[in-house]
Amino acid sequence: MLLYDSLGPNPRALRMFLAEKGISIPIKDINLMGAENRQPPYTDRNPGGQLPALELDSGKCLGETVAIFEYLEEKHPNPALIGTNAEERAETRQWQRRIELNITEHLYNGFRYSEGIELFKSRMKVLPEAANGLKAIVQDKLKWLDGLMSNRQWIAGDRFTIADIILYSALDFGAGVGQKIDPAAGKVKEWFDRVGARASAAKSLHPMSASAGIRG
């Protein structure tokens, strides 16, 4: 297999997943800042153009982060980061979906439409007038999540899962681009610090993260 990797929160989430699993996969770094992911030969393998992507031994390429999580979990079930049975897997997928639809997608677009607009305006339709509203939704939903965290160590309860990895990678990125966690969401901040103390959090940072000024 071959992992197409880059700077950024989604590639970092996959690196964090791999670190938690203890899986090592050969890596080919793609220049995200130079838009290498938006042109051939990369788009010949992954027409969506996003990162990361996983090329399988068969030559097929998986270009969606959660699909890669699912594939690798089936191949390497321990430690379980999705679940060990149908109930756990359903609960994890429920929270992964809530996190992405309510928080991370808005956070990323809030960045793309404002601080990151010069990088993204030639790659996608940007809506600068929507940026502030999207960022406000992120904070509102973090406060909603905060209200659910009083008796939870992790997003899905007592299990560390891909929902934690996805949200942590997004929020750590967000903190560096003007979207810090509102202090009013104190339980979320405590959770964030717990995740940040895991070895996989530091190990998953891209080598260019410091020089680029991006936590990804």
Side-chain angles (χ1 to χ4, degrees), residues 69-122:
F69 289 158
E70 296 270 3
Y71 175 81
L72 292 174
E73 177 102 346
E74 289 197 25
K75 294 289 188 179
H76 305 271
N78 296 310
L81 295 175
I82 298 175
T84 61
N85 55 50
E87 183 176 333
E88 287 185 355
R89 289 189 289 272
E91 184 179 40
T92 299
R93 289 164 181 149
Q94 167 186 261
W95 280 106
Q96 167 245 318
R97 190 69 171 156
R98 287 171 175 170
I99 291 301
E100 290 180 330
L101 289 179
N102 288 308
I103 301 172
T104 62
E105 190 61 23
H106 298 316
L107 187 153
Y108 295 144
N109 282 329
F111 166 72
R112 291 165 183 146
Y113 299 167
S114 54
E115 292 86 357
I117 197 167
E118 291 303 315
L119 181 64
F120 285 96
K121 66 183 182 181
S122 63

Side-chain angles (χ1 to χ4, degrees), residues 30-43:
I30 301 296
N31 185 356
L32 178 72
M33 305 299 280
E36 185 182 358
N37 60 309
R38 297 293 177 176
Q39 55 192 310
Y42 182 76
T43 52

Side-chain angles (χ1 to χ4, degrees), residues 9 13 22 47 49 66 76 96 103-104 116 130-131 157 180 190-191 201 203:
V66 174
H76 305 271
Q96 167 245 318
I103 301 172
T104 62
K180 293 182 179 180
E190 290 173 6
W191 161 86
K203 187 175 181 179

